[in-house]
């Protein structure tokens, strides 16, 4: 999961033309991205593998230090009780990105129409009042339905979710992969998010959905077939890896 590799290619091209000395360290976020850096022969650098740091900032607490909340153990039954969620119901979390970069109304409507005895949580994104209003007007039918503009404790909501639907932004899907949650990706931004989606689908950690009417069928398969998607492997805490250098 990464910033677009094309961004790094631009630096490679500029550095070659200007005879720059190059980088000492080049951060690669997966083994697939480390390989071409190691064999490029353009720079004298020390490429090494790092995962994207999973950091959750808590601005309402008015401190400047990140809370590494994704790495804290989660008691799922206690969290469900905290949020007033039905313990036995599947929970589908639909995210539009932190700043509400996509409209998730149609995706949410398809899901609400197709499920019963299910909790559906839709997050419009900070400041996205237009999408928030549209989500609030949807008929929940037989679902338990909640709509938020923004969620501070997103790590806890992700932890209790059965399936997460979102666009493949780098930090968001890194957090989802760390929590080992089934992922359905929608509306990738051309460039790096498309490449993120390619990485996820290549490893079968999630699926890219180009037609949102297909979401209910894919969610049903995920809920009823534990082997439908692969589970990401256990990896070292990337924050500790970075701080060790």
């Amino acid at each position: 999961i990464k910033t677009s590799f094309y961004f790094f290619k631009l630096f490679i091209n500029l550095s070659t033309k200007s005879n720059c000395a190059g980088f000492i360290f080049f951060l690669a976020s997966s083994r697939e991205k480390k390989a071409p850096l190691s064999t490029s022969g353009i720079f004298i650098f020390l490429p090494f593998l790092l995962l994207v740091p999973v950091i959750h900032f808590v601005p309402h607490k008015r401190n400047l230090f990140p809370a590494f909340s994704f790495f804290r153990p989660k008691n799922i039954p206690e969290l469900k009780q905290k949020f007033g969620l039905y313990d036995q119901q599947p929970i589908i979390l639909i995210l539009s990105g932190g700043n509400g970069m996509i409209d998730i109304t149609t995706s949410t409507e398809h899901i609400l129409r197709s499920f019963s005895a299910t909790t559906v949580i839709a997050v419009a994104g900070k400041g996205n009042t237009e999408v928030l209003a549209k989500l609030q007007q949807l008929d929940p039918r037989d679902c338990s339905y909640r709509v938020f503009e923004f969620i501070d404790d997103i790590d806890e909501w992700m932890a209790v979710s059965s399936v997460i639907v979102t666009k493949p932004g780098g930090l968001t899907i890194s957090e989802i992969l760390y929590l080992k949650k089934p992922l359905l990706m929608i509306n990738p931004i051309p460039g790096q998010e498309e490449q993120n989606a390619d990485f996820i689908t290549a490893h079968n950690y999630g699926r890219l959905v180009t037609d949102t009417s297909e979401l209910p069928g894919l969610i049903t398969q995920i809920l009823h077939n534990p082997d439908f998607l692969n589970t990401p492997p256990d990896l070292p805490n990337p924050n500790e890896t970075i701080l060790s250098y």
Side-chain angles (χ1 to χ4, degrees):
I1 312 307
K2 56 187 172 53
T3 301
S4 174
F5 187 52
Y6 294 112
F7 176 77
F8 297 132
K9 284 182 179 177
L10 173 62
F11 276 95
I12 290 172
N13 292 335
L14 290 176
S15 180
T16 304
K17 292 176 182 179
S18 60
N19 295 317
C20 293
F23 295 110
I24 297 176
F25 293 105
F26 206 116
L27 307 187
S29 58
S30 68
R31 291 175 179 84
E32 289 82 351
K33 296 299 171 283
K34 180 178 178 180
L37 296 176
S38 302
T39 59
S40 65
I42 295 176
F43 290 114
I44 299 175
F45 53 61
L46 302 174
F48 55 94
L49 175 66
L50 290 176
L51 297 176
V52 175
V54 178
I55 300 175
H56 179 50
F57 288 91
V58 190
H60 65 279
K61 291 188 177 179
R62 297 187 180 183
N63 62 56
L64 300 177
F65 298 96
F68 295 94
S69 49
F70 278 90
F71 296 111
R72 293 173 181 164
K74 304 288 192 299
N75 186 312
I76 303 303
E78 286 185 3
L79 287 177
K80 288 184 176 181
Q81 185 175 16
K82 170 184 173 180
F83 296 135
L85 300 171
Y86 295 105
D87 189 45
Q88 302 303 318
Q89 284 192 0
I91 299 170
I92 303 170
L93 178 63
I94 313 168
L95 305 173
S96 62
N99 294 319
M101 297 186 68
I102 62 173
D103 188 339
I104 58 173
T105 307
T106 302
S107 299
T108 304
E109 189 170 20
H110 282 309
I111 292 168
L112 290 173
R113 285 179 177 177
S114 303
F115 290 94
S116 60
T118 300
T119 298
V120 177
I121 301 160
V123 184
K126 187 179 293 185
N128 198 339
T129 54
E130 180 180 350
V131 171
L132 178 65
K134 291 163 66 176
L135 290 170
Q136 290 171 335
Q137 292 170 6
L138 294 179
D139 182 1
R141 299 176 182 260
D142 297 321
C143 291
S144 174
Y145 179 48
R146 300 192 191 182
V147 178
F148 299 95
E149 177 186 347
F150 185 79
I151 294 177
D152 283 318
D153 44 1
I154 188 63
D155 60 301
E156 295 182 342
W157 287 94
M158 284 184 177
V160 300
S161 299
S162 309
V163 183
I164 300 176
V165 179
T166 186
K167 72 183 192 69
L171 283 176
T172 299
I173 59 175
S174 295
E175 293 161 351
I176 294 169
L177 289 175
Y178 179 78
L179 294 173
K180 304 181 186 299
K181 294 296 176 176
L183 170 62
L184 295 175
M185 301 169 288
I186 56 174
N187 302 102
I189 295 174
Q192 70 184 63
E193 290 193 358
E194 289 177 327
Q195 295 173 57
N196 288 341
D198 289 343
F199 175 86
I200 296 297
T201 54
H203 292 274
N204 196 33
Y205 297 148
R207 295 290 178 88
L208 176 62
V209 183
T210 55
D211 181 351
T212 55
S213 66
E214 298 176 357
L215 281 169
L218 289 168
I219 291 171
T220 299
Q221 292 207 59
I222 290 170
L223 294 177
H224 291 90
N225 182 5
D227 298 322
F228 182 67
L229 296 175
N230 294 334
T231 301
D234 292 321
L235 291 171
N237 181 331
N239 303 290
E240 293 177 355
T241 303
I242 291 171
L243 293 174
S244 69
Y245 281 87

